[in-house]
Amino acid sequence: MSVRVGDIREILEQAAPGGAVEIPVSVLDGHVPDVGLVFRGGRLRVEGAVCDLTELRITGQAATTASASPMPVRIAFTGDGDRVTGTVAAADLGEGRRLLLVHRAQLVRLLHSGEAQ
């Protein structure tokens, strides 16, 4: 399944500021089990979401496999034209530690821009 940048923008537009947003795991093109390595219950759900439609980015709090309480997270999507080409989800575990889920993203570009930090 190929996900369009417009599909992600539509999801982000529907999110109320500070509300919750859930990204369908279908965005990961069949890599659904990988989501469960980072996000509890295998759900890309962000509470207190702040969405950036231009940068295709979400920040907020999410339940992760690393903690019983919600952790600060940032989810970013990369695109080429009108297609989503990658996803990076970073959970801040504190003390300079992060948990990353990378799917087809240009991680080097994202790290350089500070996106995965």
Side-chain angles (χ1 to χ4, degrees):
M1 176 182 186
S2 184
V3 178
R4 296 178 318 112
V5 168
D7 296 336
I8 297 299
R9 280 205 175 97
E10 186 176 310
I11 291 167
L12 300 183
E13 285 174 347
Q14 293 175 3
V21 62
E22 187 161 345
I23 304 297
V25 292
S26 59
V27 168
L28 299 177
D29 279 337
H31 293 268
V32 174
D34 297 342
V35 176
L37 296 174
V38 176
F39 293 96
R40 195 173 317 133
R43 297 174 65 201
L44 287 168
R45 181 178 172 85
V46 179
E47 301 285 341
V50 176
C51 302
D52 185 326
L53 298 172
T54 304
E55 298 294 324
L56 296 179
R57 170 175 61 210
I58 309 163
T59 57
Q61 302 272 322
T64 69
T65 57
S67 175
S69 59
M71 307 292 293
V73 295
R74 179 181 299 230
I75 301 172
F77 301 91
T78 58
D80 184 12
D82 68 339
R83 297 286 171 207
V84 172
T85 58
T87 308
V88 174
D92 184 352
L93 304 178
E95 299 178 11
R97 297 175 297 142
R98 289 187 178 32
L99 186 58
L100 289 175
L101 172 66
V102 180
H103 174 69
R104 292 187 181 169
Q106 297 173 355
L107 183 58
V108 173
R109 186 178 128 224
L110 291 171
L111 287 173
H112 178 61
S113 71
E115 192 62 35
Q117 297 181 9

